[in-house]
Amino acid sequence: MGENNLSISEKTCSLKEVLDIIGGKWSMPIIYILSKGKMRFKELERSVEGINTRMLVKELKNMEVNGIITREVFATVPPTVEYTLTSKGEKLLPSIASLHQWGQEFASGM
Amino acid sequence: MGENNLSISEKTCSLKEVLDIIGGKWSMPIIYILSKGKMRFKELERSVEGINTRMLVKELKNMEVNGIITREVFATVPPTVEYTLTSKGEKLLPSIASLHQWGQEFASGM
DNA sequence: CCGAATCCTAAGAGATACTG
DNA sequence: CAGTATCTCTTAGGATTCGG
């Protein structure tokens, strides 16, 4: 308890519930970066600026549970784990890109 | 100190910075509701399900500082204060609606 | 390399009473 | 009505260590 990630699997999913899933500090940045394609854990850790191991693990797990990403393990030495956006996850990209875009306009005075 | 809201006014605005502004628990829900038009404080408090006075005040202040909403005071008795989305705020609506939409698909099995 | 396990605290969030 | 002012309390998030 205390550190559990919640998965919402049924019923309607309001905006608030969507935000419960991907409204955290790191979900959207991660999704955004994963839009460029499959990535390994360490790559992600380097790409998502400012994140630390714990947070990355947590968010990835959360997103996997919620069907936003896929986790593939390869029995190599050293181990390889790749994360990919599911089609459900990809469907979030327009929203996120749009938010990012808004940030750009925002910056340029407006 | 400790309860200050930050305003990002210049330079580029990354996704992460956008989320610093509207990534909180209540911002997007409030914006979403304000999309229906001008609203008074009490109306908002009733409309944004689950929010309380303190949070609403905080978020509204934040959004005003960041140019997302406008606050208009009328010297009536009892006092009237109306909140409206600015055009900058309105530009967030597609993203938010899109997230909401995603939640709907998400709910229906996908 | 991947990630689990700890430990810790700053901030977010909630409830409620009160004032102009 | 539209907020302040307090007082708690939870938890998201951060730093770091350790193990397969």
Side-chain angles (χ1 to χ4, degrees):
Chain A
M1 272 197 278
E3 285 272 343
N4 282 333
N5 309 315
L6 76 164
S7 165
I8 298 170
S9 47
E10 311 186 346
K11 303 296 238 128
T12 63
C13 192
S14 69
L15 175 59
K16 233 162 71 184
E17 290 170 314
V18 170
L19 293 174
D20 279 345
I21 300 174
I22 55 154
K25 185 174 181 180
W26 299 110
S27 292
M28 294 202 207
I30 292 173
I31 293 171
Y32 197 58
I33 284 177
L34 274 181
S35 71
K36 291 157 197 159
K38 186 168 301 214
M39 247 184 174
R40 300 181 58 176
F41 186 87
K42 202 65 181 180
E43 285 181 284
L44 274 171
E45 194 167 12
R46 276 188 293 261
S47 304
V48 183
E49 207 163 349
I51 203 169
N52 61 24
T53 309
R54 190 177 111 82
M55 279 300 113
L56 184 52
V57 172
K58 250 185 94 171
E59 293 293 334
L60 289 174
K61 204 172 291 180
N62 231 308
M63 298 172 90
E64 191 194 359
V65 168
N66 285 297
I68 293 170
I69 61 173
T70 296
R71 179 173 180 270
E72 274 184 300
V73 185
F74 300 93
T76 55
V77 178
T80 303
V81 181
E82 289 184 340
Y83 294 91
T84 324
L85 282 183
T86 62
S87 64
K88 186 196 287 187
E90 282 174 354
K91 285 184 183 159
L92 282 167
L93 288 175
S95 318
I96 296 175
S98 175
L99 285 175
H100 185 235
Q101 172 59 27
W102 182 86
Q104 303 304 319
E105 295 187 31
F106 183 43
S108 59
M110 222 222 95
Chain B
M1 276 198 272
E3 285 273 342
N4 282 334
N5 309 315
L6 76 165
S7 165
I8 296 169
S9 45
E10 310 183 345
K11 301 299 234 121
T12 63
C13 193
S14 69
L15 176 59
K16 233 162 72 184
E17 290 169 314
V18 170
L19 293 174
D20 279 345
I21 301 174
I22 54 152
K25 185 173 179 180
W26 299 111
S27 294
M28 295 203 207
I30 291 172
I31 294 172
Y32 197 60
I33 283 177
L34 274 181
S35 71
K36 291 157 199 160
K38 185 167 305 211
M39 246 183 175
R40 301 180 58 173
F41 186 86
K42 203 65 182 180
E43 285 181 285
L44 274 172
E45 196 168 12
R46 276 189 291 259
S47 303
V48 183
E49 206 163 350
I51 203 169
N52 61 25
T53 309
R54 189 178 116 81
M55 280 300 112
L56 184 53
V57 172
K58 251 186 96 169
E59 293 292 334
L60 288 173
K61 207 172 287 179
N62 232 307
M63 298 172 89
E64 191 192 1
V65 168
N66 285 298
I68 293 169
I69 61 172
T70 297
R71 178 172 180 273
E72 275 184 300
V73 184
F74 301 93
T76 55
V77 178
T80 301
V81 180
E82 289 184 338
Y83 293 92
T84 324
L85 282 183
T86 62
S87 65
K88 186 197 288 187
E90 283 174 353
K91 286 182 182 159
L92 281 167
L93 288 175
S95 318
I96 296 174
S98 175
L99 285 176
H100 184 236
Q101 172 58 27
W102 182 86
Q104 303 303 320
E105 295 187 29
F106 183 44
S108 58
M110 231 228 88

